[in-house]
Amino acid sequence: MRLRRTIACASCVSPTVNNSYLMDLFPQGVGYVPSCQLLQQLQLRQRDDFQSLFAMQTPTEDLYEKDLGAVAAVKKQFNQSHVLKNDKATKSAIIPNNQNLIQANNLFFFCHGSFNSNSPLDSCLQLADEILTVADIITHIKLEKCRLVTLAACETAMTDFTNNSDQYIGLPNGFLLAGSTNVVSSLWTVSATATALLMVRFYQELKHELKHENNLVLALQTAQKWLRDTNIRGFKQWLETSSLTLAYQSEISRYFDFDIFDIIKKDHGENYQPFSSPVYWSAFCCIGKGV
């Protein structure tokens, strides 16, 4: 049996009459799995630790500093961390057998990604030296302690829905087959700024996940609603208490003061919600065990 997934389900559909989305009707969030068979395997895996981080940060020059300090902020929430940044974030640094990656409870990629509809096994993450494909992940990477892989990149949740095999093929499948129990990834090309804010908030929610009953899906949904519903004033207030450095707090605050918002703010002031459109917040979904 294969689980069918509707791309627009739970979040990016049009709002209802009372301006709520389908996601709002599911208080415990919505998660996905490529197949029932893989779900059975995931449920047998115990990944209770969440103390160590391995991150690949902005490996291509066009992304340098575009994470707006998100990776550094996420890093603060782990007892152990290993970050490969810029030109150090290479495929050759992790294949074969990078022990920091193998031992990590959480993998975090902030990079470019793409889905290859003609050859899903060639869907990839762009690293500093070359691409990391689904085939590479399945063949060379073993994640025996990994609870979550976060792909802060474009098109990383897309799958070949025309394939007649018993499960979908894409980047999430690769990391699940490699041993992780969960993958957070995106369905389309995403905004770097919105993604950076969403990731910082998502990991902030994970840090306090006891209130979510150990539910990664709910932590992601909470972060998405925050990004959707927060106005400019709210973002500026949040920045002051966030784990971002003062320099990035200042840079993001200036972002909300750029000319792009001038006309809008004449009508709405700082009550304007800059990321209310689903294009900013609904691309990311949690695929896997969910806890």
Side-chain angles (χ1 to χ4, degrees):
M1 175 181 178
R2 184 166 71 160
L3 298 186
R4 284 284 176 185
R5 178 179 57 155
T6 302
I7 293 297
C9 64
S11 57
C12 57
V13 295
S14 299
T16 59
V17 174
N18 64 356
N19 207 34
S20 64
Y21 289 82
L22 184 58
M23 179 176 72
D24 299 314
L25 303 179
F26 295 86
Q28 294 303 308
V30 178
Y32 308 97
V33 289
S35 69
C36 288
Q37 181 181 18
L38 187 53
L39 176 60
Q40 289 178 326
Q41 296 176 25
L42 296 177
Q43 289 174 333
L44 296 175
R45 298 176 189 171
Q46 297 302 314
R47 302 284 193 273
D48 297 326
D49 290 337
F50 204 60
Q51 305 297 318
S52 58
L53 169 74
F54 184 93
M56 302 289 275
Q57 178 180 355
T58 59
T60 53
E61 289 188 11
D62 62 317
L63 286 179
Y64 286 3
E65 307 306 322
K66 291 293 180 66
D67 72 311
L68 299 177
V71 176
V74 168
K75 177 182 175 180
K76 293 178 182 178
Q77 299 181 195
F78 291 86
N79 295 333
Q80 303 171 27
S81 61
H82 188 80
V83 178
L84 298 178
K85 182 177 180 180
N86 297 351
D87 61 351
K88 300 294 191 295
T90 62
K91 178 179 175 179
S92 58
I94 60 175
I95 295 177
N97 302 323
N98 184 301
Q99 290 303 310
N100 291 302
L101 182 148
I102 292 171
Q103 297 298 317
N105 307 137
N106 182 202
L107 269 59
F108 188 98
F109 290 81
F110 197 105
C111 61
H112 288 305
S114 62
F115 176 70
N116 188 327
S117 59
N118 294 320
S119 179
L121 285 173
D122 291 322
S123 300
C124 66
L125 300 172
Q126 178 65 60
L127 301 183
D129 53 350
E130 55 182 312
I131 61 173
L132 178 69
T133 67
V134 175
D136 291 328
I137 295 164
I138 295 172
T139 304
H140 299 294
I141 293 180
K142 303 302 178 185
L143 303 174
E144 296 181 357
K145 297 185 178 181
C146 187
R147 182 182 173 197
L148 173 64
V149 176
T150 300
L151 304 178
C154 299
E155 300 183 357
T156 51
M158 292 182 66
T159 56
D160 180 16
F161 59 86
T162 64
N163 191 290
N164 291 322
S165 65
D166 61 352
Q167 62 180 271
Y168 295 103
I169 301 172
L171 282 162
N173 304 58
F175 284 107
L176 294 175
L177 291 173
S180 180
T181 53
N182 295 281
V183 178
V184 166
S185 52
S186 66
L187 290 165
W188 54 77
T189 301
V190 292
S191 158
T193 300
T195 297
L197 291 171
L198 178 65
M199 290 300 132
V200 175
R201 182 66 182 207
F202 173 48
Y203 276 84
Q204 185 180 34
E205 294 294 331
L206 289 180
K207 184 178 181 179
H208 305 290
E209 67 178 4
L210 287 179
K211 70 180 180 181
H212 298 310
E213 298 179 346
N214 216 33
N215 189 327
L216 300 179
V217 175
L218 184 54
L220 177 62
Q221 185 192 74
T222 302
Q224 289 174 307
K225 288 183 176 180
W226 168 82
L227 186 68
R228 179 191 69 185
D229 298 338
T230 302
N231 58 27
I232 291 177
R233 181 185 298 108
F235 280 122
K236 289 182 176 181
Q237 292 173 343
W238 170 80
L239 284 170
E240 296 175 358
T241 61
S242 73
S243 53
L244 293 163
T245 64
L246 290 176
Y248 279 113
Q249 288 181 30
S250 178
E251 180 175 340
I252 295 171
S253 183
R254 288 196 300 271
Y255 167 82
F256 292 117
D257 293 327
F258 281 170
D259 293 340
I260 191 173
F261 293 120
D262 282 350
I263 296 176
I264 297 172
K265 288 194 294 187
K266 287 180 181 178
D267 296 327
H268 301 279
E270 292 200 334
N271 291 321
Y272 175 63
Q273 297 169 326
F275 302 116
S276 60
S277 169
V279 71
Y280 293 114
W281 53 266
S282 66
F284 287 93
C285 52
C286 187
I287 301 169
K289 189 176 180 179
V291 295

